Amino acid sequence: MSTSLSYLTTLYSSSSSTTSDAGTSLLDTIYGIGSQSSSGSAQDPVQALQSAEQNQTQDIKAAAAEPQVKVAIAAFTKAVQSATSVAQLLSNPAVMNVLLTANGMSDQIGYTALATKALTSNLSDSNSLANTLTDTRWKTLAQTYNFAANGLASIQNSAAIASIANAYATATWQNNEDQVTPGLSNALSFKAQASTITSVDQILGNPTMRTVVTTALGIPVQIAFQSLNAQEKAISSQLDITRFQDPKFVESFTQRYLIANSGTTSASTSSATDLTSLAVSAQGLLA
């Protein structure tokens, strides 16, 4: 028994080392450090980003033509046009599905009560929900339509409906791209929003921005358990956010994120595979 356990320990240690070396090798190869490798079978994430952007227009049109997207947009349009109050509008699942997905908030679709209260907040009141939530996406969305002041007027028009429909198709396209190249959806969304960044808190309050920035800077996810001040310093000490006004910097920073994310994803996949193989080996040895 002791010999078997010793073998497993050695096997696991070797596997972990190989996984770590593989992640480092990937980064070294992409950055041109050390020896080059030509054995990678997955598409380079930077090339994937460039390809996605080149084909963006036709791919979004293709996404908009998908049956499930057409059905969702039709239901959304009907609900918006027939709504008689903001409360009725925001309580409609068809509206929440398209509106939140179109604005990068699909993870919040199930929170109807929160959405209604946040999106009908009095934006001139600093203590209103939209102004106090740490998730800054709610405030941004509330400002876009300002239902508290404008009622349904800001959304019950053909231009607004068309804009939301296009954003929904775009979000669908981005999610499709993410299935092929993990992290690509975040990269595309970040590039589109980067020039609007004006503070570190804005980054911390937006899940997409937060993921891209912390991953690119190599800040561990555990930073979320630190104080807000510590989180702000972790980013501001390494990043001048005014540089996001420079398209070239945004491009290079986004590529940096994709490379780092690719390394993390590859390491996680390899680790999972190694642990599965280890478990199978353990069953054979201990049988």
Side-chain angles (χ1 to χ4, degrees), residues 141-153:
L141 188 56
Q143 290 174 327
T144 299
Y145 298 100
N146 200 358
F147 291 118
N150 302 327
L152 294 169

Side-chain angles (χ1 to χ4, degrees), residues 66-177:
E66 292 177 9
Q68 65 271 27
V69 174
K70 295 175 71 173
V71 169
I73 293 300
F76 167 78
T77 302
K78 180 179 180 180
V80 170
Q81 293 176 336
S82 62
T84 57
S85 69
V86 173
Q88 178 190 3
L89 178 79
L90 299 180
S91 65
N92 191 309
V95 172
M96 286 293 95
N97 173 42
V98 173
L99 181 64
L100 294 182
T101 299
N103 286 276
M105 300 180 67
S106 59
D107 58 313
Q108 300 295 306
I109 287 176
Y111 303 106
T112 304
L114 171 64
T116 300
K117 190 169 183 179
L119 297 182
T120 55
S121 292
N122 178 0
L123 296 174
S124 62
D125 179 2
S126 60
N127 294 316
S128 66
L129 186 61
N131 285 322
T132 55
L133 285 170
T134 55
D135 188 338
T136 58
R137 295 176 300 173
W138 287 113
K139 182 177 180 179
T140 299
L141 188 56
Q143 290 174 327
T144 299
Y145 298 100
N146 200 358
F147 291 118
N150 302 327
L152 294 169
S154 59
I155 197 172
Q156 275 185 336
N157 62 79
S158 58
I161 292 174
S163 177
I164 295 170
N166 182 68
Y168 181 77
T170 300
T172 301
W173 161 67
Q174 290 178 343
N175 289 332
N176 291 341
E177 292 292 324

Side-chain angles (χ1 to χ4, degrees), residues 204 219 223 225-237:
L204 292 172
I219 298 173
I223 191 68
F225 299 110
Q226 300 293 322
S227 66
L228 179 59
N229 185 54
Q231 294 181 56
E232 291 170 339
K233 286 184 177 179
I235 293 176
S236 60
S237 64

